[in-house]
Amino acid sequence: MAIETVESTVEALKSKLKGDLITPEDEDAYDEARRVWNGMINRRPAMVARCEGVTDVQAALRYAREHDLPVAVRGGGHGVAGRATVDDGVVIDLEPMHWVQVDPESRRVRAGAGATWGDVDRETQQFGLAVPGGVVSVTGIAGLTLGGGMGHVRRKYGLSCDNLVSADVVTADGEFIRASEDDHEDLFWALRGGGGNFGIVTAFEYECHPVGPEVAMCFVWHEGDKAHDALTFFREYTEDAPDEVSLLPFYAWVPELEEFPESSWGDSAIAFLGCYSGDPKEGEEVLRPIREFADPVADLSGTIPYVELQSMLDEDYPDGRYYYWKSLYLDELNDEVIDSIVACSERCPAPLSTVDVWQGGGAISRVDAEETAFPYRDVPYGLNFEANWDNPRETEAAVEWVRESVAEMREHPEARGQYVNFPGLEEDPSQVPFGDHAERLAKVKAKYDPDGVFRAHGNLKAEE
């Protein structure tokens, strides 16, 4: 195609968009528009369409298909695997669509696909309501929901995807549809935990629950040499913990912050982060054993606004930092598994990293296995190796540590599966394990995206 023809078609697309169309010729604006949260990702799309509505999405998608360009869809934030951008293709950027509308009477909220959990929390908490989201407020609602969505109230109210009521979707052929339990039920099933490669979700409707405005939480740090004992305590505590408790112990290194004794800065640590999604006074008593497990390095626990809990970790995940995360599930947290978790943690070369053990069960496990595409509901623990670093010279060592650690943990018979939202970077998307749901997901993919338009977000290949 002649250059002047390409330029004319780009100008034609610009004229159809309410939002901005940014190309490499836009220099500074382009560098900003193509940048994603994870500093490991450095791709150069042919254009970034900043969509302000469904019509913009349809126009950008139509252009990409007419010119045989790869497509990536970007929501409101994060996306550790870098699937929100693509070289030499069209990035359909939904970030301008970050509106939120709450109906307190029906306890429902609708939000544009560019919204973050902070956007949603800000509106729903005005009515003492919340949607189960993530644990960092600048996480986008879209990617987290489509991959499952584990947050601070998961054991009481389930995953983000469990609370999805309907989704507005632009399909691969440009059609606008609404998926719910009554319409396009097969697609609705797949969108709840099956990943983001079936269509472009432009809006999400959720069920809300009474949470806050204040919640009891524990955030207590102990010396790293207590890691084995702490995880053993965690195992015992969670055997009969109520659904209101969602607990996340993690191995880390003490940050250089005034909240921590200066003498402990840089030391290894094992921390407990937990929330009680019920009466705060009751929660403080239920969480007390966690705080009293041992003499802490620092105890930041207390009753705080829910929105503050949701944003507590934001500064640990700034734009441009390097991130490489991989995950698996554990059927048991026995002494041998704990030994391996601690050993892998101690070998970490990047002290901004964490090794996270997510408490499962509760409401998550009570959703029927066939009701949504989210797999492995029955497992009691999730394990995530989260390498975070600022110096690019640390990249090789950090990535190698994560890969080797996951490989070591998979040698345990208690290990299986993988959380869709923490997949690493190098995997063939079609190999993400979905257990018994893989065949059914492939059929949905074949029906709604037979040509693989959304392969940048691929988790399963369409059946041939």
Side-chain angles (χ1 to χ4, degrees):
M1 183 181 292
I3 293 177
E4 58 193 47
T5 305
V6 172
E7 291 178 348
S8 64
T9 59
V10 170
E11 290 302 317
L13 176 58
K14 280 186 177 181
S15 69
K16 295 176 182 178
L17 297 180
K18 182 178 180 181
D20 296 327
L21 183 67
I22 302 169
T23 68
E25 285 70 33
D26 294 310
E27 297 180 352
D28 291 346
Y30 173 75
D31 284 335
E32 178 64 26
R34 75 180 182 89
R35 188 177 296 119
V36 293
W37 169 72
N38 188 349
M40 285 191 74
I41 312 303
N42 184 26
R43 296 184 184 139
R44 299 187 65 84
M47 59 188 69
V48 178
R50 300 262 300 160
C51 298
E52 295 195 10
V54 171
T55 302
D56 281 2
V57 172
Q58 292 172 314
L61 177 61
R62 187 180 306 113
Y63 179 92
R65 296 212 64 179
E66 289 174 352
H67 295 87
D68 197 25
L69 295 173
V71 173
V73 184
R74 182 177 181 179
H78 289 187
V80 68
R83 293 175 181 166
T85 185
V86 63
D87 283 323
D88 303 319
V90 178
V91 172
I92 297 177
D93 187 353
L94 307 178
E95 189 278 332
M97 300 167 60
H98 53 255
W99 51 268
V100 179
Q101 300 169 341
V102 184
D103 183 344
E105 291 188 7
S106 65
R107 290 186 176 178
R108 296 283 176 87
V109 59
R110 281 177 49 82
T116 64
W117 287 109
D119 294 328
V120 173
D121 292 337
R122 189 176 303 110
E123 300 299 324
T124 57
Q125 277 293 282
Q126 294 297 315
F127 306 99
L129 300 173
V131 179
V135 296
V136 177
S137 75
V138 289
T139 304
I141 67 170
L144 192 81
T145 301
L146 295 172
M150 294 191 288
H152 286 303
V153 298
R154 61 190 179 278
R155 285 175 31 82
K156 179 65 174 177
Y157 297 120
L159 305 170
S160 303
C161 70
D162 298 337
N163 292 274
L164 187 65
V165 176
S166 69
D168 293 354
V169 184
V170 174
T171 64
D173 62 5
E175 182 184 2
F176 176 76
I177 62 176
R178 178 163 293 173
S180 69
E181 289 185 349
D182 300 318
D183 297 295
H184 302 284
E185 300 93 328
D186 53 349
L187 177 60
F188 184 58
W189 173 85
L191 294 176
R192 289 178 291 168
N197 77 339
F198 304 100
I200 303 174
V201 180
T202 59
F204 296 79
E205 181 184 9
Y206 300 99
E207 181 180 4
C208 300
H209 301 277
V211 177
E214 292 194 329
V215 293
M217 69 92 182
C218 66
F219 194 30
V220 56
W221 291 62
H222 298 283
E223 295 173 351
D225 60 9
K226 293 184 173 66
H228 191 284
D229 291 342
L231 291 176
T232 302
F233 166 80
F234 165 72
R235 179 183 66 200
E236 296 169 352
Y237 175 86
T238 55
E239 285 180 356
D240 58 0
D243 289 355
E244 285 80 4
V245 173
S246 294
L247 194 56
L248 173 63
F250 60 92
Y251 195 98
W253 285 260
V254 178
E256 296 182 6
L257 298 174
E258 62 180 12
E259 291 87 351
F260 298 87
E262 188 172 350
S263 59
S264 70
W265 289 357
D267 291 348
S268 64
I270 184 77
F272 289 106
L273 175 60
C275 172
Y276 186 87
S277 51
D279 179 77
K281 290 184 178 179
E282 181 179 288
E284 288 187 3
E285 291 304 310
V286 174
L287 296 173
R288 188 177 300 280
I290 303 168
R291 301 174 62 181
E292 296 177 349
F293 154 72
D295 291 333
V297 173
D299 187 354
L300 310 178
S301 308
T303 293
I304 63 173
Y306 178 72
V307 291
E308 186 176 322
L309 172 64
Q310 287 289 89
S311 60
M312 180 185 295
L313 302 179
D314 286 7
E315 64 184 38
D316 295 328
Y317 300 95
D319 287 355
R321 178 166 284 172
Y322 297 82
Y323 303 97
Y324 184 83
W325 303 350
K326 287 176 71 70
S327 60
L328 51 87
Y329 294 107
L330 294 167
D331 287 316
E332 190 177 343
L333 197 63
N334 57 40
D335 289 346
E336 292 76 16
V337 169
I338 291 175
D339 285 341
S340 291
I341 293 174
V342 175
C344 291
S345 301
E346 291 175 343
R347 294 196 297 267
C348 178
L352 292 174
S353 307
T354 64
V355 179
D356 312 327
V357 184
W358 292 78
Q359 179 191 9
I364 300 171
S365 61
R366 286 195 288 274
V367 175
D368 187 271
E370 298 303 315
E371 186 172 330
T372 72
F374 186 84
Y376 308 112
R377 287 188 174 276
D378 57 329
V379 293
Y381 308 104
L383 178 64
N384 184 40
F385 288 90
E386 186 181 293
N388 312 316
W389 67 101
D390 289 326
N391 186 344
R393 294 180 179 179
E394 297 177 3
T395 298
E396 182 176 354
V399 171
E400 184 178 6
W401 167 69
V402 173
R403 292 176 180 171
E404 290 181 350
S405 296
V406 170
E408 178 176 328
M409 294 306 306
R410 289 198 182 281
E411 294 177 1
H412 291 277
E414 296 81 7
R416 60 184 169 118
Q418 175 180 289
Y419 181 36
V420 179
N421 286 334
F422 300 157
L425 297 177
E426 76 285 355
E427 291 85 350
D428 175 357
S430 67
Q431 300 306 308
V432 172
F434 275 95
D436 296 336
H437 295 160
E439 183 176 347
R440 185 175 172 185
L441 282 166
K443 290 180 179 178
V444 177
K445 177 69 172 177
K447 178 179 177 180
Y448 289 93
D449 185 17
D451 299 325
V453 173
F454 304 114
R455 55 189 176 273
H457 301 266
N459 46 31
L460 285 170
K461 294 178 180 176
E463 284 192 332
E464 297 181 356

